[in-house]
Amino acid sequence: MRKTRFRRAVTAVSAMALASGFMIAAGNTANGDEASSSAAAARVDNPYEGAQLYVNEDWSRQAAASGGQAIADEPTAVWLDRIEAIDSGSAGENTMGLRDHLDAALEQGANALQMVTYNLPGRDCAALASNGQLGPEEIDKYKSEFIDPIAEILSDPKYADIRIINVVEIDSLPNLITNVGSRETATPECDVMKANGNYVKGVGYALATLGDIENVYNYIDIGHHGWIGWDDNFGPTADLLHEAATTEGATVDDVAGFAANTANYGATEEPYFSIDDSVGGKSIREGSKWVDWNRYVDELSFSQAFREEAVSAGFNSDVGVIIDTSRNGWGGSERPTGPGSTSGTADEYVDSSRVDRRIHLGNWCNQDGAGLGERPTASPAPGIDAYAWIKPPGESDGSSKEIDNDEGKGFDRMCDPTYEGNPRNQNNMSGAKADAPVSGHWFQAQFEELIENAYPPVN
Ligand code: BGC
């Protein structure tokens, strides 16, 4: 039953997309099946360009049944968040396995599918909400029971015409930069993952194995501006990513680019203030607690600069960045309509100008007041392959109380609205919404607010 309403609509559009945009984009105007399959297999610089993206039928059905009919035909990513997800779907209401999604993509006439590989050993070392199923040492199991079976499915010739856009292991490598060693933000779990090398090896293996498949486009996670935007983190992250991309048989040719802001809330662009602003003769970098010496105030400027840094670190010059805009819209009544006054303090100026209404940039769980961001768009800005909805809107980031589950997920107090924080959010309130289910499960109240506070608004 899941497939009825928009499947038909999508199929009609897709026939057109396949007949025109895709083949022309591939530079082939010949007729006939042979021509179309060789055109389809050609590797492109930006897999979003001219593509018809797969609409995740699990998510779409849920969204449509939850008051989200207006957005239910937007493409969102398929999350492979544990071994079982390969066959029988990810957490919560998701029931389709990888083959089901690929087959559904073919039926939709889609020629691109977004997925997230998210199951490293010792996953989520600086938080508890998305702790996974593999222990810190289970790298062999990660390779043979997670990445290899995924590779087997993706290399089925039946799917050769689908561009597979693969976001690789979110949060993992950035955690090894900021949450280790003598830093105040360090956790023992991240120290273990740095010492045993299993994040780096796992990412390298995933890039190498999946990157061998002609139609796979790998994007490595780079956190977001409120994490990697400081000088101490920026260059070292690019170097660590390069190390991972040249490990376990991977090369930089296995990397199509980077993924920013995945499942986070950073604004794509802050329209009313800029990093170059000063208040009372002092840069806001120094004067504002919100900025606090960061080099960037939004995801677009961060992503474009990171791309350059990565190229200097040894990545190919044609890499691009995907920015997750599923929940970074920040519309609604709290959204400023213009720059604040500069006659007070830098804090007053920035706090009244910023559209990102979080209490602190380090807050990440089910943020109260957030809205849907830009609808998915290909090539929205130089260096940016797409604005994409990687985190499916409506799926929780973590439970606001302890909830028993068999998915390995813990209770992170950053998801508890009464929590007063830790060094990673400089001891601010969490800003999380109450009554949330475990991560990946449907959170109706958040979904409704995301639609309500969407920016651009949902018509
Ligand atoms: C969860 C996953 C889920 C994903 C997408 C993550 O936070 O840990 O289980 O698939 O979000 O909602």
Side-chain angles (χ1 to χ4, degrees), residues 43 45 47 217-219 252-258 318-321 385:
R43 232 179 132 76
D45 174 33
Y217 296 80
N218 288 316
Y219 289 83
V252 291
D253 295 334
D254 293 316
V255 179
F258 308 99
D318 61 358
V319 286
V321 185
D385 282 355

Side-chain angles (χ1 to χ4, degrees), residues 193-208:
M193 296 322 298
K194 181 166 183 184
N196 70 15
N198 285 342
Y199 279 2
V200 172
K201 286 181 212 155
V203 169
Y205 188 81
L207 293 172

Side-chain angles (χ1 to χ4, degrees), residues 79 81 90-91 118 123 130 391-392 395 409 439-440:
W79 285 63
D81 62 346
S90 141
Y118 187 45
R123 191 179 75 190
S130 285
K391 175 78 183 183
E395 292 186 8
K409 288 164 183 165
S439 64

